[in-house]
Amino acid sequence: MFNIFFPLKGIRHVSKGQLRVLNISEGGLWGTSRRKDIADHFYICVGDRQLLIACAIVERRGDMIHVRFLNELPTVFVDVVASLRDPFALLEKIRPALYGLEGLAE
């Protein structure tokens, strides 16, 4: 699960939501959200705004969205996300070294 931020009403309002990851790779993910109004371009927020990942929706299929990352993610981070048992682990402050994000996250 990731927190996400996206603009509504042009850029006058920033909205937030959560994205449940169903499948992830270095280049993108398939996910679902309760929010149906997610903009085509948005940010994934890892931890307590420690890392922002710019994203673009490339396909919407029912309740699922196919997302591409603007920059590829480190394989070690993708592997950790895929193996997490606690879906809420990345919603609060993280220790970047535990997730392969040293040098990328604050």
Side-chain angles (χ1 to χ4, degrees):
M1 182 99 55
F2 288 121
N3 284 319
I4 58 173
F5 296 93
F6 53 95
L8 286 179
K9 299 178 184 176
I11 58 172
R12 293 180 297 178
H13 179 71
V14 175
S15 192
K16 62 182 178 177
Q18 291 183 333
L19 181 67
R20 178 175 296 276
V21 177
L22 303 174
N23 192 344
I24 189 168
S25 69
E26 289 82 354
L29 62 81
W30 277 96
T32 186
S33 177
R34 291 183 180 169
R35 298 290 304 258
K36 305 303 177 205
D37 59 346
I38 299 172
D40 288 339
H41 297 91
F42 65 94
Y43 288 95
I44 287 175
C45 177
V46 178
D48 185 20
R49 297 188 186 190
Q50 293 168 277
L51 176 66
L52 294 177
I53 303 168
C55 302
I57 296 176
V58 295
E59 182 180 359
R60 296 176 193 259
R61 189 182 301 163
D63 289 342
M64 295 190 339
I65 57 174
H66 182 200
V67 176
R68 287 281 177 212
F69 305 131
L70 269 54
N71 296 304
E72 286 202 0
L73 298 179
T75 300
V76 65
F77 176 69
V78 171
D79 290 344
V80 169
V81 170
S83 68
L84 287 174
R85 297 208 185 271
D86 178 4
F88 306 108
L90 297 174
L91 299 181
E92 297 182 6
K93 190 169 179 111
I94 63 166
R95 291 182 34 210
L98 293 178
Y99 298 96
L101 296 173
E102 53 278 321
L104 296 175
E106 297 177 3

